[in-house]
């Protein structure tokens, strides 16, 4: 992770300097000092490049003088429109444009502590790389930026703000690492073992294997796993930030559940070969829950939170469940499996019911790369939000807007239940093409026993096919910052 420091505003003696400039802003402070020290090189470059500080615009000046190797200007846009997201994106631009500099300083005319931490967070998130399996990269192709110093008068407050942001960033990195791993490495047992590493942060981790899941009666989850040589797991991660050290929590725990299909061939209802390699990230919902638990524990959140992940591999074999099979879920409800590629909802059904029976939670939020239908509806801009609770939905929406991890509420209605009515069982696991993401949510809701609940279909958000402001191409860790912000703003004691 990029090393972050905070210091009082002062012109660097060497290295690179990034100036964050509001639209229409006139030279002052460090910007003016740097311009004078370089004999007006910065002003001349801005004039030639017609750089005026427009949002997202950049201007790079090479070797301007005063021992500075580069000066990067990043536009913030109009002062009235600047938000935390704008500063994060500016930090991302710094990490991208100064990646070949060993170190850099970032300045603005008046960065407060929160804005300084936002800049640092954006830079760190954008600088992420998953290069565990790259062995032949040329030195000139590797990023060199190792340290970023953000200049602010409020250094002490900035460091405090950064401690919290850094915990979220580490949670994001953990999720991105998990989602990026190939399925031959990250099978259910290995993913469960990596959950165990959270004990170093004070998280209690319990791992349930095939024997325990069979004894519990997880018929829906086990049905998915039947075709694979890799046995399933369920992992329960508990963070007691409100009731630890003998304290008594005033509220019930909050619960997060993640779908963890470490590879999804579709089973007997096998997927087309083209693009099937993407199904290594069908465990992104579980990856997000794991990263979230790391973030909460990392910043010592004053909340009791439980994260549960159901981990399976969906493979075709002589032992795999077949279309037309009927399984009995942990809740006792029976399910006719019409399509074995609609497996994530089967995993969630058992884990969600267990979470309610075991923990009597204040609410449950599940995350899953569940349906292609949600991508047809919302593209790659919003996750689908389904909920039986208006208040929880509103708080999730607000947290999404604050972090840039946006959600869009979709309908739930009894009329859709007709599509998953089975002729021989309590329900079937698919309801046809119309409203596919909705009928999937309706299915999951049948295993929500009266608790406030939200389902986030993140199929369109878990993986990015191109770089963006603070997310490099690849695993996004969508949901970690969203849910961390939800907890921070609404549920800590």
């Amino acid at each position: 992770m990029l090393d972050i420091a905070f210091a009082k505003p002062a012109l660097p003696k060497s290295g690179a300097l990034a100036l964050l400039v509001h639209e229409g802003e006139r030279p002052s402070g460090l910007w003016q000092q740097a311009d004078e020290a370089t004999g007006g090189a910065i002003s001349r470059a801005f004039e030639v490049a017609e750089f005026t500080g427009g949002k997202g615009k950049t201007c790079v000046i090479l070797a301007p003088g005063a021992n500075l190797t580069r000066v990067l200007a990043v536009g913030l846009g109009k002062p009235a429109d600047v938000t935390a997201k704008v500063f994060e994106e500016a930090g991302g631009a710094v990490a991208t444009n100064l990646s070949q500099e060993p170190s850099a300083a970032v300045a603005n005319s008046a960065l407060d502590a929160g804005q300084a931490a936002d800049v640092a967070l954006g830079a760190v998130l954008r600088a992420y790389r998953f290069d565990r399996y790259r062995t032949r990269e040329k030195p000139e192709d590797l990023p060199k930026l190792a340290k970023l110093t953000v200049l602010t008068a409020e250094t002490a407050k900035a460091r405090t703000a950064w401690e919290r942001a850094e915990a979220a960033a580490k949670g994001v990195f953990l999720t991105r690492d998990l989602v990026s791993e190939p399925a031959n490495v990250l099978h259910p047992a290995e993913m469960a073992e990596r959950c165990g590493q959270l004990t170093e942060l004070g998280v209690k981790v319990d791992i349930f294997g095939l024997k325990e899941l069979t004894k519990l009666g997880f018929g829906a989850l086990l049905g998915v796993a039947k075709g694979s040589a890799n046995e399933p797991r369920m992992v329960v991660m508990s963070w007691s930030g409100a009731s630890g050290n003998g304290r008594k929590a005033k509220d019930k725990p909050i619960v997060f559940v993640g779908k963890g299909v470490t590879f999804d061939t579709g089973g007997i209802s096998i997927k087309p070969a083209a693009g099937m390699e993407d199904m290594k990230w069908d465990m992104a919902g579980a990856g997000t829950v794991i990263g979230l638990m790391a973030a909460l524990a990392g910043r010592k959140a004053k909340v009791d939170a439980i994260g549960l992940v159901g981990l399976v591999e969906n493979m075709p074999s002589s032992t795999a469940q077949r279309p037309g099979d009927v399984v009995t879920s942990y809740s006792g409800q029976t399910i006719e499996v019409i399509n074995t590629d609609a497996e994530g909802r089967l995993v969630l059904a058992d884990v969600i019911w267990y979470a309610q029976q075991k923990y009597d939670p204040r609410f449950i939020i599940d995350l899953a790369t569940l349906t292609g239908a949600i991508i047809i509806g919302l593209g790659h801009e919003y996750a689908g939000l389904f909920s039986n609770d208006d208040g929880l939905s509103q708080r999730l929406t607000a947290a999404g807007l604050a972090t840039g991890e946006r959600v869009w509420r979709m309908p739930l209605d009894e009329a859709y239940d007709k599509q998953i009515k089975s002729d021989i069982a309590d329900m079937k696991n698919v309801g046809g093409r119309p409203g596919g993401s909705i009928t999937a949510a309706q299915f999951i809701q049948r295993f929500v026993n009266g608790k406030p609940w939200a389902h986030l279909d993140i199929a369109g958000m878990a993986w990015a096919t191109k770089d963006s402001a603070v997310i490099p191409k690849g695993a996004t860790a969508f949901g970690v910052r969203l849910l961390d912000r939800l907890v921070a703003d609404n549920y800590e004691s």
Side-chain angles (χ1 to χ4, degrees):
M1 181 181 286
L2 184 62
D3 184 22
I4 297 295
F6 300 94
K8 299 291 185 181
L11 189 64
K13 295 180 180 180
S14 62
L17 172 65
L19 298 171
L20 310 185
V21 181
H22 292 285
E23 188 170 346
E25 184 178 356
R26 304 303 303 167
S28 64
L30 199 63
W31 173 9
Q32 187 173 13
Q33 293 177 40
D35 193 40
E36 293 173 354
T38 57
I42 297 173
S43 294
R44 291 193 297 272
F46 284 6
E47 183 177 354
V48 171
E50 298 182 347
F51 176 81
T52 60
K55 180 184 174 184
K57 302 296 184 181
T58 59
C59 178
V60 180
I61 310 162
L62 299 177
N67 292 322
L68 294 174
T69 53
R70 298 181 198 223
V71 170
L72 165 70
V74 180
L76 298 175
K78 297 178 180 178
D81 298 332
V82 173
T83 62
K85 184 181 177 183
V86 171
F87 281 107
E88 287 178 14
E89 291 178 349
V94 171
T96 300
N97 287 276
L98 298 182
S99 65
Q100 294 305 305
E101 296 286 339
S103 64
V106 184
N108 171 259
S109 56
L111 273 183
D112 65 29
Q115 293 165 345
D118 291 334
V119 171
L121 178 60
V124 165
L125 293 178
R126 184 61 182 84
Y128 171 84
R129 282 170 56 88
F130 184 79
D131 52 11
R132 185 168 299 164
Y133 302 105
R134 296 174 178 173
T135 64
R136 294 292 185 270
E137 282 190 292
K138 297 178 181 177
E140 60 267 25
D141 292 335
L142 294 172
K144 298 180 177 62
L145 185 62
K147 183 174 183 178
L148 190 69
T149 302
V150 185
L151 305 179
T152 174
E154 300 179 350
T155 53
K157 290 181 179 179
R159 291 188 189 100
T160 300
W162 173 239
E163 286 178 3
R164 174 172 165 171
E166 185 180 27
K170 288 180 177 179
V172 167
F173 277 30
L174 173 57
T175 297
R176 288 180 180 175
D177 285 349
L178 290 170
V179 176
S180 299
E181 285 282 11
N184 62 316
V185 173
L186 197 74
H187 46 73
E190 172 64 20
M191 194 166 178
E193 287 300 313
R194 296 199 189 186
C195 292
Q197 296 173 10
L198 297 186
T199 57
E200 298 173 6
L201 297 173
V203 177
K204 182 176 182 291
V205 178
D206 295 301
I207 299 175
F208 295 73
L210 177 61
K211 181 178 179 181
E212 293 84 1
L213 296 174
T214 302
K215 185 175 180 180
L216 283 169
F218 273 37
L221 182 152
L222 292 172
V224 177
K226 282 177 62 178
S228 176
N230 290 309
E231 294 183 354
R233 298 288 190 274
M234 179 178 71
V235 182
V236 180
M237 297 158 283
S238 305
W239 168 250
S240 301
S243 62
N245 297 321
R247 298 190 304 270
K248 184 177 181 180
K250 65 178 181 180
D251 295 312
K252 296 176 181 179
I254 58 178
V255 165
F256 303 94
V257 175
K259 168 192 170 184
V261 180
T262 59
F263 194 79
D264 180 22
T265 66
I268 297 299
S269 306
I270 197 164
K271 295 176 180 290
M276 195 191 289
E277 68 277 5
D278 290 346
M279 289 301 97
K280 72 174 187 176
W281 49 258
D282 206 22
M283 39 58 69
T288 294
V289 171
I290 297 165
L292 171 65
M293 297 304 296
L296 294 176
R299 66 177 180 83
K300 297 182 173 17
K302 295 179 180 179
V303 67
D304 286 352
I306 312 292
L308 302 96
V309 293
L311 308 177
V312 300
E313 187 177 57
N314 188 22
M315 300 289 284
S317 74
S318 62
T319 60
Q321 70 178 356
R322 298 147 293 227
D325 284 1
V326 174
V327 296
T328 302
S329 68
Y330 177 61
S331 72
Q333 298 176 87
T334 57
I335 305 162
E336 183 184 10
V337 180
I338 300 299
N339 188 326
T340 64
D341 193 24
E343 83 299 328
R345 63 201 71 181
L346 301 176
V347 174
L348 292 173
D350 281 345
V351 179
I352 287 173
W353 191 270
Y354 176 86
Q356 291 171 102
Q357 300 302 303
K358 180 72 174 179
Y359 299 107
D360 188 25
R362 187 172 177 181
F363 66 75
I364 294 176
I365 296 175
D366 76 75
L367 301 96
T369 48
L370 206 68
T371 68
I374 201 65
I375 303 176
I376 301 301
L378 297 177
H380 300 280
E381 306 301 327
Y382 289 81
L385 163 62
F386 302 82
S387 182
N388 62 4
D389 187 274
D390 291 341
L392 181 57
S393 293
Q394 291 164 4
R395 290 187 283 274
L396 277 165
T397 300
L401 291 173
T403 58
E405 296 190 339
R406 299 177 298 177
V407 298
W408 191 269
R409 193 174 186 185
M410 302 287 285
L412 289 170
D413 193 289
E414 290 182 3
Y416 293 101
D417 278 328
K418 297 176 183 177
Q419 292 177 232
I420 56 174
K421 181 177 174 59
S422 169
D423 293 333
I424 64 170
D426 294 327
M427 70 197 84
K428 57 185 180 180
N429 72 327
V430 292
R433 288 178 63 84
S437 62
I438 302 173
T439 54
Q442 292 284 156
F443 177 94
I444 296 170
Q445 190 176 30
R446 293 195 178 196
F447 300 89
V448 177
N449 194 16
K451 290 290 181 182
W453 157 77
H455 159 61
L456 298 180
D457 192 335
I458 63 171
M461 306 305 295
W463 191 269
T465 58
K466 58 183 179 180
D467 295 334
S468 61
V470 298
I471 302 172
K473 178 182 177 181
T476 66
F478 181 95
V480 173
R481 296 183 60 207
L482 164 72
L483 298 177
D484 180 59
R485 184 63 175 264
L486 173 77
V487 173
D489 287 351
N490 300 282
Y491 298 107
E492 293 197 53
S493 58

